[in-house]
Amino acid sequence: MVAQIANAQEFEQKVANAPAGKLVVVDFFATWCGPCKMISPMVDKFAVEYDAAEYYKVDVDEVGDIAQKYDVTAMPTFLYFKDGKEIARVVGANPAGIKQTIASNL
């Protein structure tokens, strides 16, 4: 399941407080973004297929401070975290790249 993050405090709590060594995947999206809408069902599928990771979505228009903090300038952008630190990033609706980055970091 992919949960939506509502504010910066929740983001920090989910990412920083994830269990040690656990992969956290964050989908930065916008409601007006066509590629974001296209990739969303694939991300839901990956969340089921690779359920050892945690999955979150951040609407860049609602939680812009987090997008700015992590220098997210294109949508969708997928950030991958472990132990509260960014370990990888995939920019764009690239199902193969998203899937491979999840699989190789579990």
Side-chain angles (χ1 to χ4, degrees):
M1 159 131 177
V2 181
Q4 188 159 335
I5 290 179
N7 56 53
Q9 180 181 3
E10 183 182 7
F11 180 89
E12 294 301 333
Q13 177 187 20
K14 300 289 187 190
V15 171
N17 294 333
K22 183 156 195 145
L23 178 64
V24 178
V25 181
V26 183
D27 173 6
F28 286 83
F29 76 102
T31 56
W32 47 263
C33 166
C36 299
K37 292 176 187 175
M38 181 194 80
I39 200 69
S40 185
M42 294 297 296
V43 176
D44 292 338
K45 180 180 166 190
F46 297 152
V48 172
E49 187 175 347
Y50 297 100
D51 63 351
E54 293 182 7
Y55 297 83
Y56 300 103
K57 294 175 82 86
V58 173
D59 184 330
V60 297
D61 292 325
E62 290 183 15
V63 195
D65 49 343
I66 292 297
Q68 186 174 17
K69 177 180 178 179
Y70 288 96
D71 197 27
V72 173
T73 57
M75 274 65 71
T77 294
F78 296 84
L79 299 186
Y80 301 80
F81 295 87
K82 271 194 181 172
D83 302 319
K85 295 181 176 31
E86 181 182 343
I87 58 164
R89 149 183 316 232
V90 174
V91 178
N94 176 355
I98 296 163
K99 182 177 183 174
Q100 179 181 346
T101 306
I102 294 168
S104 65
N105 285 289
L106 283 178

